[in-house]
């Protein structure tokens, strides 16, 4: 949830190259060994008419849509869905994902959270320390994120080339059970 790059422990030394290699290996190996069945099982149906009315772009504007009530994310250009929808995991009770319209302000493909000591592959920060990013393992496990919008690493990697700094992110709804 914060905007800090990976900081290596003292015993690893201060080598920026080693830090970058470690972060890259964690991201690459996790993506290579993530079960393909998991990625296929989280696919959702086309956004509903109500969801499309709530989140749409105009002209060639790209918008990342996050419906917390349905725990889904998709990307639209105008009224055309160009990515997803895919299943996501948003913030847990006490650390809810903020709602509103935001812009991606910082992207880091091989990010490492120093706050939670965890990989955040394909991190795209949009609100304070909240980001769209990949996670290893099952999105259905656990109560939720610390406020970020979690995707499978596979989906986060597919989303990465579509967005840029400045891309609009719309978040609405309430996570069930929060």
């Amino acid at each position: 949830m914060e905007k800090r790059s990976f900081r290596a422990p003292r015993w690893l030394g201060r080598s920026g190259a080693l830090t970058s290699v470690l972060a890259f290996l964690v991201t690459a190996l996790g993506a290579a060994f993530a079960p393909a069945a998991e990625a296929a099982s989280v696919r959702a149906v086309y956004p509903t008419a109500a969801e499309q009315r709530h989140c749409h772009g105009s002209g060639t504007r790209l918008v990342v849509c996050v419906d917390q009530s349905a725990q889904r994310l998709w990307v639209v250009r105008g009224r055309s869905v160009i990515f997803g929808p895919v299943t996501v995991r948003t913030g847990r009770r006490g650390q809810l994902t903020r709602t509103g319209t935001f812009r991606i302000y910082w992207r880091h493909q091989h990010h490492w959270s120093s706050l939670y000591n965890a990989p955040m592959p394909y991190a795209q920060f949009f609100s304070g320390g909240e980001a769209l990013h990949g996670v290893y393992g099952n999105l259905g496990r656990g109560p939720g994120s610390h406020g970020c919008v979690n995707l499978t690493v596979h989906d986060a990697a597919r989303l990465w080339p579509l967005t840029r700094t400045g891309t609009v992110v719309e978040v609405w709804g309430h996570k069930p059970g929060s």
Side-chain angles (χ1 to χ4, degrees):
M1 271 190 42
E2 79 297 329
K3 182 183 169 183
R4 284 194 232 155
S5 293
F6 172 74
R7 189 171 50 197
R10 285 188 187 162
W11 59 268
L12 281 178
R14 296 281 181 201
S15 170
L18 180 58
T19 300
S20 296
V21 168
L22 287 174
F24 172 78
L25 286 174
V26 168
T27 302
L29 291 174
F33 292 103
E38 175 195 332
S41 70
V42 296
R43 297 290 175 258
V45 297
Y46 203 74
T48 65
E51 289 172 326
Q52 289 182 31
R53 278 192 303 274
H54 184 75
C55 184
H56 63 274
S58 58
T60 60
R61 183 179 103 161
L62 197 78
V63 179
V64 177
C65 305
V66 180
D67 181 353
Q68 292 191 89
S69 300
Q71 293 291 284
R72 302 191 318 162
L73 173 147
W74 63 95
V75 178
V76 294
R77 178 175 285 124
R79 294 216 177 252
S80 299
V81 176
I82 63 167
F83 175 83
V86 296
T87 301
V88 297
R89 176 177 61 193
T90 59
R92 65 182 76 191
R93 187 178 316 222
Q95 295 177 309
L96 300 175
T97 305
R98 289 183 277 279
T99 58
T101 301
F102 309 96
R103 290 193 180 272
I104 294 172
Y105 64 86
W106 188 62
R107 294 166 29 108
H108 191 227
Q109 191 170 0
H110 306 291
H111 188 71
W112 186 277
S113 169
S114 57
L115 183 61
Y116 299 108
N117 193 28
M120 294 173 59
Y122 304 99
Q124 303 187 67
F125 291 86
F126 63 89
S127 175
E130 294 179 4
L132 308 166
H133 68 85
V135 294
Y136 301 105
N138 187 335
L139 289 177
R141 283 194 213 140
S145 73
H146 294 99
C148 289
V149 177
N150 298 158
L151 299 90
T152 64
V153 173
H154 174 77
D155 289 337
R158 290 181 347 160
L159 176 63
W160 183 262
L162 299 175
T163 58
R164 303 276 179 263
T165 300
T167 298
V168 172
V169 178
E170 285 191 29
V171 183
W172 73 93
H174 301 282
K175 183 175 184 174
S178 62

